């Protein structure tokens, strides 16, 4: 239990440093260390990441590191799809996905495998050098590809609702490549979008899945993550963002393969 709470701070630090990775850490911590079932953990993750990202997003807003146009065009389709996914798609997924004589794939394992696959895919973009990130300076003007931003917003909403991931590892590349935002502005904007998506997803979780929520654990975990995000924001000004992104990418890659191995083999 203590280890889980200590790692909660790391969740916030990750969000503050690179604008993503909160849910990638939160779900495994909740499942493997705090003993929360995977379906509930994806819902808990939405609350933790939502509140933590909002805290960092507000700070970024006052520092003028938010692109409001991106929040609007990315956020609205995300809100719609994340709510529909959590409220209506999740309950439709059967408890037993696949069953044979020698193998049975149940809903919790299915969700963890999807989550792990997303982790592996996300790690590639984190490990790979971002040349476009280096091109954009803080004074760069945004050049929006509105169609792609709207479509990607809807896609990230589905991912958020399905596996409890705020989607920062998807949001930041979209903001950099399609909105042409400089990296620091993309991180701040990402936090605001993650906060909106996660909050809406959690509402869908509470109102439609009727799960019993351990509010004591959830609030303690969230408060520690909020502390972590302010630590992360402070450290982001002291440490190379590219080095942090690469190191975190390798960590995510290892965690992704660990989850796949644990769920399917161990």
């Amino acid at each position: 239990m203590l280890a889980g709470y200590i790692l909660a701070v790391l969740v916030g630090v990750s969000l503050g440093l690179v604008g993503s990775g909160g849910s990638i850490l939160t779900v495994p911590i909740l499942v493997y260390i705090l003993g929360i079932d995977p379906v509930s953990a994806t819902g808990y993750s939405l609350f933790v990441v939502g509140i933590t990202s909002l805290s960092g997003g507000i700070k970024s807003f006052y520092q003028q590191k938010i692109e409001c146009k991106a929040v609007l065009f990315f956020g609205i389709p995300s809100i719609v799809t994340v709510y529909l996914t959590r409220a209506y798609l999740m309950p439709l997924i059967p408890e037993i996905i696949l069953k044979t004589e020698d193998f049975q794939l149940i809903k919790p394992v299915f969700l963890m495998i999807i989550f792990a696959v997303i982790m592996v895919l996300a790690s590639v973009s984190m490990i790979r050098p971002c040349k476009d990130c280096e091109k954009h300076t803080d004074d760069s003007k945004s050049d929006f590809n509105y169609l792609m931003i709207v479509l990607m917003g809807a896609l990230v909403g589905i991912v958020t609702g399905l596996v409890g991931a705020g989607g920062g590892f998807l949001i930041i590349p979209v903001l950099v490549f399609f909105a042409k935002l400089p990296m620091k502005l993309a991180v701040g904007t990402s936090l605001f979008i993650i906060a909106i998506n996660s909050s809406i997803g959690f509402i869908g979780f509470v109102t439609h899945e009727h799960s019993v929520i351990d509010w004591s654990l959830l609030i303690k975990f969230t408060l520690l993550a909020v502390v972590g995000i302010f630590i992360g924001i402070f450290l982001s000004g002291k440490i190379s963002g590219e080095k942090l992104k690469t190191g975190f990418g390798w960590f995510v890659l290892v965690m992704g393969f660990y989850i796949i191995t644990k769920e399917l083999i161990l």
Side-chain angles (χ1 to χ4, degrees):
M1 183 71 77
L2 179 60
Y5 287 137
I6 292 173
L7 290 172
V9 178
L10 183 59
V11 170
V13 172
S14 171
L15 283 165
L17 282 172
V18 294
S20 67
S23 54
I24 285 175
L25 293 174
T26 301
V27 172
I29 292 170
L30 291 172
V31 173
Y32 298 124
I33 297 179
L34 297 178
I36 306 298
D37 72 272
V39 176
S40 295
T42 60
Y44 281 30
S45 174
L46 292 169
F47 182 88
V48 173
V49 174
I51 297 298
T52 306
S53 298
L54 180 60
S55 302
I58 291 173
K59 184 174 181 63
S60 295
F61 177 79
Y62 282 111
Q63 293 177 339
Q64 296 184 331
K65 293 181 180 178
I66 298 288
E67 174 55 74
C68 295
K69 188 163 57 173
V71 173
L72 178 64
F73 283 92
F74 196 105
I76 291 178
S78 294
I79 289 172
V80 174
T81 55
V82 72
Y83 181 80
L84 292 176
T85 299
R86 198 73 209 190
Y88 299 106
L89 179 58
M90 278 287 284
L92 291 177
I93 299 176
E95 291 300 321
I96 299 177
I97 307 296
L98 176 66
K99 186 176 183 180
T100 66
E101 292 183 2
D102 304 317
F103 178 75
Q104 178 174 282
L105 179 61
I106 60 176
K107 183 176 180 178
V109 174
F110 175 68
L111 290 176
M112 289 304 295
I113 292 172
I114 290 178
F115 191 84
V117 170
I118 291 173
M119 288 176 70
V120 172
L121 294 175
S123 70
V124 174
S125 66
M126 292 178 183
I127 294 169
R128 187 172 54 197
C130 178
K131 295 180 180 179
D132 288 84
C133 296
E134 298 171 359
K135 292 178 183 177
H136 301 318
T137 66
D138 290 337
D139 296 324
S140 300
K141 293 183 179 180
S142 58
D143 180 19
F144 279 62
N145 182 330
Y146 290 96
L147 178 60
M148 287 304 300
I149 291 174
V150 170
L151 291 176
M152 291 302 296
L155 175 62
V156 169
I158 294 172
V159 172
T160 299
L162 192 61
V163 298
F169 51 82
L170 296 174
I171 294 171
I172 288 179
V174 171
L175 296 178
V176 170
F177 293 116
F178 298 115
K180 307 300 182 185
L181 296 184
M183 190 62 186
K184 288 186 178 180
L185 192 58
V187 169
T189 304
S190 172
L191 290 175
F192 231 89
I193 294 171
I194 290 170
I196 295 170
N197 286 354
S198 299
S199 300
I200 295 299
F202 184 73
I203 292 172
F205 168 71
V206 171
T207 56
H208 291 270
E209 296 182 42
H210 308 292
S211 298
V212 177
I213 298 173
D214 186 343
W215 285 106
S216 175
L217 180 150
L218 190 54
I219 291 173
K220 290 176 185 176
F221 195 102
T222 303
L223 289 176
L224 289 169
V226 169
V227 171
I229 198 170
F230 288 115
I231 295 173
I233 290 173
F234 173 77
L235 292 176
S236 66
K238 309 291 183 181
I239 307 174
S240 166
E242 186 61 29
K243 290 181 179 178
L244 286 168
K245 183 171 72 72
T246 302
F248 187 75
W250 282 110
F251 173 74
V252 170
L253 181 65
V254 172
M255 282 294 296
F257 279 115
Y258 169 77
I259 292 174
I260 293 172
T261 302
K262 181 172 176 37
E263 296 295 340
L264 293 180
I265 301 175
L266 299 181

